[in-house]
Amino acid sequence: MDTVSTSTLIIILIILVLISAYFSASETGMMTLNRYRLRYLASKGNPQARRVEKLLQRPDRLISLVLIGNNLVNILASALSTVIGIRLYGDIGVAIATGLLTFIILVFAEVLPKTVAALYPERVAFPSSLLLKPLQKLMAPLVWLLNGITRFIMRLFGLRSDVKSSDAVSKDELRTIVNASNPLISHRYQSMLLSVLDLEAISVDDIMVPRQDIVGININDDWKDILKQLTHSPHGRIVLYRDSLDDAIGMLRVREAYRLMMEKSEFNKETLLRAADKIYFIPEGTPLNVQLVKFQRNREKVGVIVDEYGDIQGLVSVEDILEEIVGDFTTSMSPTLEDEVIRQPDGSVSVDGSTSIRDLNKAMGWHLPTSAAKTLNGLLLEYLEDIPKAGTHIDFKNYSVDIVKVSNNMIKQVVIRPKGSQVSSGKEKV
């Protein structure tokens, strides 16, 4: 060492600091890579991504390699700085060299390279893998020895070393990923993806056409009345029943009925009954994701929802489920939320009593309870435990509600205002 000039030692010291910076940046870059993007690039044939993915298959070996290299150069740099300090300043040079090298290592070999690598992981990790891969093979025996010692020590403390982390994400984590992708995915596509994730939490009861709104034909009606209902039906499928909807006997495709009407010389009730399909029944409470698969598996498009007693509660179609994902279709005959919810100039909202609570919460950002009742009418009747009169005012949780119209034992129209704004007085208060 005495034969080596001080200037040469300084150059070597600078090179060691640069090597230390390389190992620090490589470690941070490798560990902060987006694993899903890396997997995507590798599947597209990117050679750099494939090389990095192979290195990360055994992160314990990669980290051991980086730490070995980093510690070796740092220890050697410390020894060289001590020699240089003694040559330049004598005994006090040891303290000077220690302080100066600590500052240089922290700034130029730790903080700076790791910050850059964290900000640009791909730009750092991909090129550095060119050197890390042959280094890993070269230092494999030393890495194997250190990992073996580490595993032995862990076993002494009762710790397992064979625990593998999974890259699989839960539904909530996937939701976070979709929300975080806002700059890259349009709001519409983002909303559709989130709606797909929500299918599990929504049941057929939430989107069904309620029993009272089901369009059906009583096969015991006069034949002229039946033909009139067929020719004026806005729906593609109609329930056939005898006197009561609970005695449903088939699901008629209107297009098929038109075809028979044109082809058959005798088109009567018997022909209509033979053309009807068997009704597909769905238990109430079935999650939408499950029902969508069942529709596909059974090759059905419409189903009738029944409760535990076999009574018909409503009707749901494939289109209804798809609307939960992509939004309302322009061909839908049912009223849209815009038709049922009207914002008033004073800040209140006029709402139809049959409006779905879940749709209302989504559109207005409200938090009305959805645990029991599905419609606003059902929620208010459950809360009041009575059928109110028009003009009744209710302070319901964080909302002020004025019941405007009541008909046929149902609340038809209400005006809602979130608490914090004034509601017109002079009305009966509950």
Side-chain angles (χ1 to χ4, degrees):
M1 187 68 70
D2 294 337
T3 59
V4 182
S5 64
T6 303
S7 58
T8 302
L9 292 178
I10 292 174
I11 293 172
I12 295 174
L13 180 61
I14 293 173
I15 294 173
L16 290 175
V17 171
L18 292 176
I19 295 174
S20 178
Y22 161 77
F23 281 117
S24 296
S26 298
E27 178 188 8
T28 302
M30 290 284 185
M31 294 301 115
T32 56
L33 275 172
N34 186 323
R35 300 300 176 91
Y36 302 103
R37 174 170 170 77
L38 179 65
R39 192 174 300 165
Y40 166 75
L41 293 175
S43 67
K44 292 297 182 180
N46 187 310
Q48 293 180 314
R50 287 181 174 179
R51 186 168 54 247
V52 172
E53 189 177 40
K54 192 171 182 180
L55 286 170
L56 288 173
Q57 286 178 354
R58 289 298 301 269
D60 56 333
R61 293 180 180 177
L62 178 61
I63 292 174
S64 296
L65 172 65
V66 171
L67 291 178
I68 289 171
N70 211 354
N71 280 280
L72 280 176
V73 296
N74 285 344
I75 292 171
L76 185 55
S78 177
L80 286 180
S81 66
T82 301
V83 173
I84 295 171
I86 291 174
R87 284 187 181 183
L88 295 177
Y89 303 105
D91 292 340
I92 197 174
V94 176
I96 295 173
T98 300
L100 188 59
L101 182 65
T102 300
F103 174 78
I104 292 173
I105 290 291
L106 282 175
V107 175
F108 297 101
E110 292 291 337
V111 177
L112 180 60
K114 286 187 175 183
T115 301
V116 173
L119 294 174
Y120 309 100
E122 287 185 19
R123 296 184 187 180
V124 173
F126 286 1
S128 68
S129 64
L130 287 169
L131 184 57
L132 286 176
K133 188 173 181 180
L135 275 177
Q136 190 177 55
K137 293 181 179 179
L138 181 64
M139 303 184 68
L142 183 56
V143 170
W144 178 84
L145 177 62
L146 289 178
N147 284 343
I149 295 173
T150 301
R151 286 194 293 268
F152 175 73
I153 295 174
M154 290 178 65
R155 281 197 296 268
L156 291 179
F157 288 94
L159 300 175
R160 294 177 57 189
S161 59
D162 57 348
V163 178
K164 294 183 178 180
S165 61
S166 173
D167 289 335
V169 295
S170 66
K171 186 179 72 173
D172 292 333
E173 290 169 337
L174 186 56
R175 178 187 294 278
T176 302
I177 293 173
V178 173
N179 284 324
S181 63
N182 189 39
L184 303 175
I185 302 178
S186 69
H187 177 73
R188 179 173 179 80
Y189 291 155
Q190 197 175 25
S191 177
M192 289 170 61
L193 290 171
L194 293 174
S195 296
V196 171
L197 295 176
D198 284 337
L199 289 183
E200 184 180 355
I202 305 171
S203 71
V204 291
D205 307 42
D206 296 315
I207 66 168
M208 69 180 182
V209 177
R211 176 191 174 101
Q212 64 268 20
D213 294 335
I214 294 178
V215 176
I217 292 178
N218 183 0
I219 202 67
N220 290 334
D221 282 349
D222 184 73
W223 179 239
K224 290 183 178 180
D225 292 334
I226 292 176
L227 288 178
K228 184 177 180 181
Q229 291 179 68
L230 274 176
T231 54
H232 291 83
S233 173
H235 302 280
R237 294 171 186 259
I238 299 177
V239 177
L240 297 182
Y241 63 90
R242 289 190 179 92
D243 296 328
S244 170
L245 191 60
D246 287 321
D247 191 13
I249 55 179
M251 184 72 68
L252 178 68
R253 288 176 290 173
V254 176
R255 182 180 296 179
E256 179 67 12
Y258 288 162
R259 186 186 66 80
L260 293 174
M261 198 181 300
M262 299 295 293
E263 295 179 357
K264 297 285 185 179
S265 57
E266 291 186 7
F267 182 65
N268 50 38
K269 292 184 179 181
E270 303 301 329
T271 308
L272 204 62
L273 287 173
R274 286 197 298 269
D277 298 324
K278 185 179 179 180
I279 292 181
Y280 175 60
F281 291 102
I282 302 170
E284 64 176 350
T286 304
L288 290 192
N289 62 328
V290 174
Q291 188 54 50
L292 187 60
V293 173
K294 287 184 176 181
F295 271 139
Q296 184 182 35
R297 184 182 301 157
N298 297 315
R299 297 184 179 181
E300 298 284 351
K301 292 185 177 180
V302 180
V304 173
I305 302 168
V306 294
D307 61 14
E308 59 183 318
Y309 303 106
D311 295 332
I312 294 177
Q313 301 298 308
L315 180 145
V316 69
S317 66
V318 172
E319 182 181 278
D320 295 326
I321 300 179
L322 294 180
E323 284 184 349
E324 281 296 309
I325 301 174
V326 302
D328 292 336
F329 295 127
T330 56
T331 56
S332 175
M333 301 303 296
S334 58
T336 64
L337 191 64
E338 288 76 11
D339 298 328
E340 297 177 328
V341 178
I342 303 173
R343 297 177 185 270
Q344 303 296 320
D346 62 355
S348 60
V349 181
S350 177
V351 186
D352 190 279
S354 62
T355 304
S356 165
I357 300 173
R358 190 171 56 83
D359 291 342
L360 191 59
N361 285 339
K362 287 170 62 177
M364 306 301 298
W366 292 349
H367 299 89
L368 295 170
T370 58
S371 56
K374 305 301 180 184
T375 65
L376 186 59
N377 168 66
L379 178 66
L380 295 178
L381 291 181
E382 183 182 76
Y383 175 74
L384 292 171
E385 298 179 347
D386 193 9
I387 300 174
K389 298 178 181 178
T392 302
H393 173 71
I394 307 169
D395 288 326
F396 179 74
K397 297 187 180 295
N398 295 321
Y399 305 90
S400 294
V401 180
D402 289 304
I403 298 174
V404 177
K405 183 179 179 181
V406 179
S407 177
N408 296 327
N409 298 325
M410 294 177 60
I411 299 174
K412 296 293 186 179
Q413 197 75 26
V414 300
V415 173
I416 305 177
R417 183 197 301 271
K419 286 285 184 68
S421 55
Q422 295 296 321
V423 181
S424 57
S425 58
K427 299 179 180 179
E428 180 185 353
K429 189 169 183 177
V430 177

